[in-house]
Structures are given as C-alpha cells and as structure tokens.
Amino acid sequence: MMRHFYLIRGLMPASPFCLAVSLLCGLSACASAPQTGPAPIGLYHPSAPIEPESAVDTELASSLTYRVEQQARQLKAIDDALVDITGKLGGAGGDPAADIAAIQQDVRGLSDKVDGLMAQLNETDRTVATIMRRLDMIEAATVGAVKEAAAARDLVNRVEGVKAAQEGYELEAGPGQSYAIHLASYQSPDAAKEGWDVLKGQYPAVLEHLSPRLDPLRLDQAGGQFLRLIAGPFADIPPAREACESLRQHGAFCQLSLFRGEGL
C-alpha cells in the first residue's frame, strides 16, 4: 500500500522536525504562521525527490525516503506472500478451511497407504524368513544324503574290490579313486594309438566317451616293457565291470584296472 506525502514549502518555521512530521503524517499542524510562500509542488513519489533547504534537511529527507521505500518493499513482499497462499488455498473465492481439510484427508490417505505397504513388507520378511529356514533344512538334508551316498558307494567299491581281487585284479578301493578298463598291451606308443583307433571304431557305444591312457608294465618273462592301453575314468567299479562285460560279449579282451598312467 503506497502512501502519498505532501511537502509544503514556505511554512515558518521550516524546522527538521516539522519536515519529518509533514513527510510521515501529511499534516501541516506544525506551521506557526499562515502560508505566505509558493503553492505546494504536488504529490511526493520516489521519482520526484524532495528539494531540501539545508544540509540537515537533505540528510533527513534521504533517510525518510529510504525508510519509505523499505516499508513499501516489505508491504509488497507481504502482499505477494498473501497472494501465493491465497492461490494455493483455491484462489480469492476459495474456501481455505475446505482446502485444508482436503489436504489433511490426502495426508491421512497417504499415511494409510504407507501403513499398508509396511504391513506387506513385514509379511514379505516373514515369508522370506520361512523360505530361508526351509532352504537350510533342505541343505542339511542334502548334505546328509550326499554323505550317505558317498558311504554307500565306498562300501560297494570295497565289496567289488574284494571280488576283483578274487578274480585276479588288483584294485585299491577308496574315496576319490577312479577306475578303468584294460583293453590291450603294446610295446610302443604308436602301436597303442593305432590299436585305440581300431578298438574305438569297433566298439563306439562303450569307448566313445572314455579317455585312453598308457600304463607302463614290465614283464621280463614276456619280453620286457609293455604299455597297457586303459580307458576311463569310472567313478565306481560296477560301471567299469559292466563295460568290460559288454566288450567280452562281443569277443574283445577286457580286464578291470585303476585309471592311471599318461594320456595317449
């Protein structure tokens, strides 16, 4: 809200106090004598500066001008803030109480949604905890089953090892041991490689997925050093025995052996 001030010149006495009262209040009550000077110069505004009559008047006018402008800026800022608040509350024709009630309702709605999400999160946490407990139980059961299977395999291999020993085969049964089948014996690596290619072509169903190795064997009574051609590996003795029996049924030579030696 802008105020208009009148500056009355020619009033006697023209003291700083009367000038200040005239600028702030727009009154001429401080004059002690009737007006004898020129007519008033009109309304005061920042673009029409006060014409001081002395150095003291100049300083006072400058101070009052600054204060008036500062108060005008403050009033403008307050007015802008009120306009902004009014706009947020539905405009000049809105109902602030209703708008505030609607905002509070929205806040309650959001609070209810947050509570619902938290409940879902808690339920999910409980479900995950249940699943983790079940996984731990399954893992424990699996570990137990693996140990039982390993113990059963070890027992079977030991029994098969005893049986193989009775048949004349030397097999060391035990955990981590691999087994093979002895297919033939040769005196040179080249002959062994050629013999492996022939046997693999004759019995692909049995030998296709096995790896050949050469296991040195010295037989002085049979002519010195030999290379035993073996194929494997088999994790247990029973599948090695089955492979041997299949080859024997087709007229091939086969014996049980350990999977050792160097690759062909």
Side-chain angles (χ1 to χ4, degrees):
M1 176 179 177
M2 296 296 297
R3 296 183 178 180
H4 301 282
F5 299 91
Y6 293 90
L7 176 62
I8 303 175
R9 300 181 58 185
L11 297 180
M12 298 300 295
S15 66
F17 176 76
C18 290
L19 178 59
V21 173
S22 299
L23 290 172
L24 292 175
C25 305
L27 300 176
S28 59
C30 294
S32 59
Q35 180 178 355
T36 58
I41 61 176
L43 297 177
Y44 166 75
H45 54 81
S47 60
I50 301 173
E51 296 181 3
E53 296 183 356
S54 67
V56 176
D57 293 343
T58 300
E59 182 178 357
L60 181 59
S62 177
S63 176
L64 292 176
T65 300
Y66 171 75
R67 292 182 182 180
V68 170
E69 292 176 349
Q70 187 179 36
Q71 291 177 356
R73 287 193 297 270
Q74 292 175 350
L75 290 174
K76 180 64 167 60
I78 293 173
D79 186 62
D80 291 342
L82 290 174
V83 170
D84 182 62
I85 293 174
T86 302
K88 291 181 178 179
L89 294 178
D95 186 352
D99 294 336
I100 293 174
I103 293 173
Q104 292 176 342
Q105 181 65 29
D106 292 341
V107 171
R108 285 193 292 270
L110 291 175
S111 178
D112 292 340
K113 290 183 179 179
V114 171
D115 292 340
L117 291 175
M118 291 302 298
Q120 293 179 7
L121 181 60
N122 292 333
E123 181 64 25
T124 301
D125 289 341
R126 288 192 291 270
T127 302
V128 170
T130 301
I131 293 174
M132 293 302 297
R133 287 194 297 270
R134 291 180 180 176
L135 289 177
D136 291 339
M137 295 174 60
I138 293 173
E139 182 180 5
T142 301
V143 171
V146 170
K147 290 182 179 180
E148 292 178 0
R153 288 175 55 191
D154 181 60
L155 179 60
V156 170
N157 286 328
R158 291 183 183 278
V159 172
E160 288 289 335
V162 173
K163 182 179 178 180
Q166 294 174 351
E167 296 172 351
Y169 307 131
E170 295 182 1
L171 298 180
E172 298 176 2
Q177 186 64 266
S178 297
Y179 306 94
I181 53 178
H182 174 205
L183 301 174
S185 296
Y186 302 91
Q187 290 185 319
S188 69
D190 292 339
K193 185 178 185 308
E194 183 178 348
W196 168 252
D197 291 338
V198 172
L199 291 171
K200 187 177 178 181
Q202 290 176 341
Y203 312 107
V206 178
L207 305 178
E208 181 68 28
H209 301 292
L210 301 180
S211 298
R213 284 191 176 184
L214 297 179
D215 181 26
L217 176 64
R218 186 169 184 81
L219 297 174
D220 293 333
Q221 69 275 18
Q225 184 76 21
F226 286 88
L227 297 174
R228 299 170 67 243
L229 176 63
I230 64 175
F234 295 90
D236 301 300
I237 296 177
R241 181 183 294 279
E242 292 177 3
C244 252
E245 291 177 354
S246 177
L247 290 175
R248 288 172 186 161
Q249 290 176 1
H250 291 83
F253 171 83
C254 186
Q255 292 181 339
L256 296 177
S257 175
L258 295 177
F259 189 65
R260 60 192 178 188
E262 298 182 358
L264 180 60

